[in-house]
Structures are given as C-alpha cells and as structure tokens.
C-alpha cells in the first residue's frame, strides 16, 4: 500500500454526484393569465369586487366633489365644504341602505318591488303639481324637502323599474309565459312608458335614456326575439328623435359633438369645449389634487355632470383610467352574478342594475369626452347629488346580496371562522377546492313569489 510523503495513508475522496440539470424557470408572464383566471373563479371574487369597487368609487368621488365644488360654493357665498358635507351625509345614509339591502333575503326584495314602484310613480306625479315641484336648470324634476335639501324622484324610478320588472318577468318565466310576445311586453313596456312620460313631462331627457336602457336590458335578458327587440328599439328611437327635434336645447347639445371652440355656429358649446380643455391639460398624472383651473368658473357643473373632466385635469390620465377600470370591474362582476344563477329574479335584477350603472357611466363619460351629446346625467357613485347616490347604493346592495346567494359563495362564507374567540373544530383542515362554475341545480328552490 502506497503512502503519502508525510507517512499518512491517502484520503479516499467520495465519488462526485452527477449534476442534475435544474428545470427551466417558468415565465411569470405566461402564468399570469391562468393565475388570474383561478383567482377570478373563486366563490367570493364577485362579492369582493362589487363591494370594494363601489366603495372605492364612492370614496374617490367624495374627494373629487370636495375639490371640484369649493369654488362654486364660494361663488354662492357658501362655505367651501358645503357641497362636500351634503354629499358625505348622503353617502352615510347610502351606506346604511347598502348594508340593509345586502342583508335582505331575496323574497323581501321581491316584496318591496310594488311598494317602491307605487311610491316612485306618486312622487314623480307630485313633481308636476304647481307649487310643489321645483325646476332646476329648466327641468322640473325636483321636490323641495325643506332647507337646502331637494329630492329627484325620477332617480328612484330606475330602482323601481329594475325591481318590479325583474319580479314580473320572473313570475312569468315560472309560469312559462315568456314564449308569447304579448306576455313579454305587457305590462312591462306600458309601465316603462308611463315612467318615461312622467320623466319627460319635466324635460329630463338624460334620465329617460337611462330608463330606456334598463327596459332594453330586461327584455334582452328575458330572451326577446330579434324582431320584437328591434321593434321596441325603433319605436323608442323615433320618439327620441321627435323629442330632440322639437327642443332647441337638445338640438344645441347635439350640435356640440366634436366641437373644439366655445363658439361653433349658432350654438354655444362652452361646457363641452371646456370639458375637453380640462382633460387635455391634465397630462399623464394631472396638475395635482385641488389644482384645477377649469373649476374656477370656466367649467359649468364641475362637481356634478362634468366631475370626470376635473378628475382628468387634477389626476391626469392615470386617474381617469383608474375610474374607468373600477367601473369596468363593477360591470363585469355584475354580469358574473347574473350569469351564474338559476334564480330568474336574481338574473333579471342583477342584469338590470348592471345595465343601469354601466349605461349611465358610459353616457356621462362619453359626453365629457365629446363623443356623445350632453345628457345631464351624473356619474354613478361619483358625482355630487344625494338623490342619485341613495338609490344607486341600494342597487349595489342588491348586487352584493345576490353575490352572497351563490351556492359556492354561501358555503365559503359559512365555513369561515372568527379569527379570535372560538377555536376551529377538529383542528386545521385542508382547503377545499371549489367548483364555482357549477350552476344551481334545476330542482333548486326559487326565491319565491308575491
């Protein structure tokens, strides 16, 4: 046996292990879409998106109302926070309505459909009584409540049409009557035209357009044939054209589409053009919160119909895209709630609320961008106006309640345990995989009828 120079025995080295090649790392961009889909398919995703998105829009709206209304309040010899305090009060009351609506069972929502419709029709008729109704900006759509508080009953007409129309169509579907066109139209369309007539008596074309969109949304969800849908659409378009043609104010708004100068021909497009100026001067990140120049008397209705323009000027493209993303997420979550239920009332009501909020947001933002005529409708949950905020937050509560009624979401909420207090029964449990795409069984119980 050979030895080393030092006289010590040689050290036997261990054999080298074969090098195993590491698996290539996955591109995170490729796994982003599958992970996003898995996250979106979770039972409570729609619930969180509706709740979180609506609260974010409302809070950001409060901030922008405070910023956009200060100059207007000072010009009216009022405190700078006057409009903000009123909007904050309406938001607190609306939060109570949202919480109450989200905790109500579906049967109670259906039971409230007829009382809300009767109350809305009564208040909308009361507006036309001389000495009781109040005219604002040429439209007589308001009721004085005392002091500086006013109520616009036509805003509650939207909620009334959604609930009553959804209950009516659900009862007819349970009796398999929607296959006949007369049962699909009567009495839904005549009642909607009655509400539209009461609204147009006050001259509010914008609210009438939103109500018409809700009607078409309900008919579309009910599976109206193309010929029937096109017929109702043609009648509504003809009536709308007549109403626009017979009003100089509406014709002037139509003539301001694409205007780039305050004076374009025989009409004055001051508001439309300065809305574009506000958006153009905002840049990518805006001039800073509270630093708008257009709100200093240049842009009319800066805190109501054109608050999106002030948002673009102060928060820039980043702020406006954030608002658009929140509305898009809210609308998509509403579509998910309507598409994943077997309860016809929930489907019609969720679709009606989603149509209402989405159509109103599109009309308001389209008018600010100069793509649509100025309709005089506020941005939902964002613009100043308690009469618009209260029914909209109640409608958001409806969507939250419907999202909680999903079987998978209900089971996920039932399995939750409080973080403090009780201990979990049986120790830690493995997470359960949810099949959220499974719909309610055909034999499931409906939400009930009146």
């Amino acid at each position: 046996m050979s030895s080393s120079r030092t006289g010590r025995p040689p050290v036997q080295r261990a054999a080298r292990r074969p090098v195993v090649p590491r698996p290539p790392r996955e591109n995170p961009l490729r796994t982003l879409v599958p992970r996003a889909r898995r996250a979106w398919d979770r039972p409570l995703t729609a619930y969180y998106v509706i709740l979180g998105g609506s609260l974010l829009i409302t809070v950001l709206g409060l901030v922008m109302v405070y910023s956009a209304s200060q100059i207007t309040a000072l010009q009216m010899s009022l405190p700078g926070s006057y409009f903000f305090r009123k909007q904050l009060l309406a938001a607190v009351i609306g939060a109570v309505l949202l919480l109450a609506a989200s905790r109500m069972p579906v049967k109670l929502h259906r039971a409230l459909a007829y009382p809300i419709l009767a109350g809305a029709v009564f208040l909308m008729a009361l507006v036309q009584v001389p000495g009781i109704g109040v005219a604002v900006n040429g439209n007589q759509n308001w009721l004085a409540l005392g002091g500086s508080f006013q109520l616009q009953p036509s805003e509650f007409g939207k909620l009334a049409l959604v609930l009553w129309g959804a209950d009516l169509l659900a009862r007819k579907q349970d009796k398999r009557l929607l296959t006949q066109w007369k049962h699909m139209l009567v009495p839904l369309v005549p009642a909607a035209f009655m509400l539209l007539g009461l609204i147009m008596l006050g001259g509010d074309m914008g609210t009438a357009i939103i109500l018409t969109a809700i009607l078409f949304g309900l008919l579309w969800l009910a599976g109206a044939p193309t010929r029937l849908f096109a017929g109702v659409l043609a009648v509504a378009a003809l009536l709308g054209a007549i109403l626009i043609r017979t009003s100089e104010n509406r014709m002037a708004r139509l003539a301001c589409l694409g205007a780039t100068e305050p004076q374009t021909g025989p009409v004055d497009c001051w508001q439309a053009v300065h809305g574009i100026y506000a958006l153009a001067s905002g840049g990518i990140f805006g001039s800073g919160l509270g630093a708008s120049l257009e709100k200093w008397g240049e842009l009319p209705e800066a805190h109501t119909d054109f608050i999106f323009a002030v948002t673009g000027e102060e928060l820039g493209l980043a702020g406006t895209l954030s608002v658009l993303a929140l509305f898009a997420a809210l609308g998509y979550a509403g579509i998910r709630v309507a598409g994943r239920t077997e309860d016809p009332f929930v489907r019609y009501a969720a679709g009606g609320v989603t149509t209402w909020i989405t159509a109103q947001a599109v009309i308001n933002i389209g008018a600010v961008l100069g793509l649509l005529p100025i309709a005089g409708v506020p941005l939902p949950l964002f613009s100043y106006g308690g009469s618009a905020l209260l029914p909209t937050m109640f409608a958001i509560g409806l969507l939250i309640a419907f999202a909680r009624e999903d079987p998978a979401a209900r089971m996920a909420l039932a399995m939750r345990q409080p973080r403090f207090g009780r201990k979990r029964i049986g120790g830690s449990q493995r997470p359960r995989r949810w099949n959220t795409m499974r719909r309610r069984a055909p034999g499931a119980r409906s939400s009930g009828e009146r």
Side-chain angles (χ1 to χ4, degrees):
M1 180 176 181
S2 60
S3 60
S4 63
R5 296 180 180 179
T6 57
R8 297 178 182 178
V11 179
Q12 296 181 358
R13 298 180 179 180
R16 293 183 179 181
R17 296 180 180 179
V19 179
V20 179
R22 295 181 179 181
R25 294 182 179 181
E26 295 184 358
N27 189 353
L29 296 179
R30 293 182 179 179
T31 61
L32 180 62
V33 175
R35 284 188 295 178
R37 287 180 178 176
R38 287 195 297 268
W40 181 252
D41 285 336
R42 292 177 181 175
L44 296 176
T45 299
Y47 169 76
Y48 288 130
V49 169
I50 294 171
L51 178 61
S54 59
L55 291 181
L56 285 174
I57 294 173
T58 305
V59 172
L60 182 58
L62 287 172
V63 174
M64 294 311 304
V65 165
Y66 180 64
S67 175
S69 64
Q70 290 183 5
I71 306 304
T72 304
L74 294 175
Q75 290 175 345
M76 300 171 62
S77 301
L78 297 171
S81 60
Y82 174 78
F83 293 104
F84 169 75
R85 293 200 304 264
K86 292 184 65 176
Q87 186 74 354
L88 180 61
L89 176 62
V92 172
I93 299 175
V96 175
L97 293 177
L98 184 149
L99 181 62
S102 64
R103 294 295 180 177
M104 287 182 185
V106 176
K107 289 184 178 180
L108 183 55
H109 286 304
R110 299 189 70 167
L112 290 176
Y114 283 83
I116 292 178
L117 177 65
V121 171
F122 174 75
L123 293 177
M124 290 167 66
L126 199 63
V127 168
Q128 306 304 323
V129 177
I132 299 179
V134 178
V136 177
N137 294 332
N139 296 336
Q140 187 166 346
N141 295 314
W142 301 81
L143 291 174
L145 300 180
S148 60
F149 293 95
Q150 294 178 340
L151 180 69
Q152 188 176 3
S154 58
E155 294 290 340
F156 294 88
K158 305 173 187 176
L159 178 63
L161 181 60
V162 168
L163 286 177
W164 178 78
D167 178 71
L168 175 69
L169 293 175
R171 287 188 287 111
K172 290 196 173 188
Q173 180 173 334
D174 292 339
K175 297 178 181 179
R176 299 182 179 180
L177 298 176
L178 291 181
T179 56
Q180 306 176 26
W181 67 269
K182 60 180 181 180
H183 284 286
M184 185 173 291
L185 294 182
V186 181
L188 177 62
V189 175
F193 281 2
M194 177 189 64
L195 293 175
L196 289 171
L198 291 173
I199 293 174
M200 289 308 301
L201 284 176
D204 191 356
M205 186 72 178
T207 305
I209 294 175
I210 304 300
L211 213 67
T212 305
I214 296 174
L215 173 62
F216 287 147
L218 292 175
L219 291 176
W220 181 270
L221 291 169
T226 305
R227 291 178 297 176
L228 183 63
F229 196 83
V232 177
L233 182 61
V235 173
L238 178 62
L239 293 176
I242 294 174
L243 292 173
I244 293 175
R245 188 67 180 177
T246 56
S247 173
E248 295 183 0
N249 184 26
R250 299 186 188 116
M251 287 297 297
R253 294 183 179 184
L254 190 63
C256 289
L257 285 177
T260 57
E261 296 293 336
Q263 297 289 340
T264 56
V267 296
D268 185 8
C269 301
W270 182 273
Q271 186 180 27
V273 171
H274 278 271
I276 299 296
Y277 288 171
L279 292 172
S281 61
I284 302 297
F285 298 105
S287 58
L289 191 62
S292 170
L293 298 178
E294 291 293 334
K295 69 183 180 182
W296 288 77
E298 297 294 334
L299 180 63
E301 307 296 336
H303 60 297
T304 54
D305 301 343
F306 272 70
I307 194 171
F308 188 76
V310 179
T311 304
E313 185 178 5
E314 295 187 351
L315 303 182
L317 182 63
T320 54
L321 290 181
S322 300
V323 175
L324 290 175
L326 288 174
F327 276 110
L330 189 61
Y332 194 77
I335 294 174
R336 167 178 164 150
V337 172
R340 295 194 177 188
T341 181
E342 292 294 337
D343 190 334
F345 173 78
V346 173
R347 181 167 62 253
Y348 295 137
V353 171
T354 306
T355 303
W356 163 14
I357 295 176
T358 305
Q360 187 165 332
V362 168
I363 291 174
N364 177 275
I365 296 175
V368 174
L369 295 175
L371 302 176
L372 295 174
I374 300 175
V377 295
L379 190 58
L381 301 172
F382 202 84
S383 297
Y384 170 79
S387 296
L389 184 62
L390 296 181
T392 306
M393 295 193 74
F394 187 90
I396 294 295
L398 285 177
L399 289 180
I400 294 174
F402 298 155
R404 293 167 59 94
E405 285 295 319
D406 183 82
R410 192 189 311 154
M411 190 174 297
L413 290 172
M415 291 185 63
R416 283 184 168 186
Q417 298 291 339
R419 182 174 296 181
F420 303 103
R422 282 188 311 186
K423 293 184 178 180
R424 293 182 180 269
I425 301 176
S428 61
Q429 299 180 356
R430 296 178 62 184
R432 183 173 180 177
R433 297 176 62 89
W434 299 98
N435 185 10
T436 57
M437 295 301 295
R438 183 178 300 169
R439 303 180 108 196
R440 190 188 298 267
R445 298 175 60 185
S446 64
S447 57
E449 299 180 4
R450 293 191 72 259

